[in-house]
Amino acid sequence: MALIKCPACSKDVSSNAASCPHCGEPIDTSIKCPKCGSANTKVISGASKAASVALWGVFAANKVMSKHVCNDCNHKF
């Protein structure tokens, strides 16, 4: 658990909190792409990883080792 600043009141809030306990502002905990900063990301499913390994073999290592993919820039992280 880490403390982050509330975007509305700037008080410390747990990173696990859904909203600020001080002002009620919702806390955005969505995963952001480290390359472009977009929050338009999705989790790479196990079935997708298995299909990539079956199709590409060792060349699918980037996808298999990643947990998320950005829908805007297609970066896997």
Side-chain angles (χ1 to χ4, degrees), residues 43-68:
V43 175
I44 302 172
S45 70
S48 175
K49 290 179 182 183
S52 292
V53 169
L55 185 62
W56 300 105
V58 297
F59 298 108
N62 184 28
K63 187 172 191 176
V64 172
M65 299 300 290
S66 302
K67 292 183 180 180
H68 300 90

Side-chain angles (χ1 to χ4, degrees), residues 1-16:
M1 178 188 87
L3 291 178
I4 57 174
K5 296 285 184 186
C6 172
C9 67
S10 299
K11 293 186 180 179
D12 288 334
V13 180
S14 167
S15 60
N16 296 335

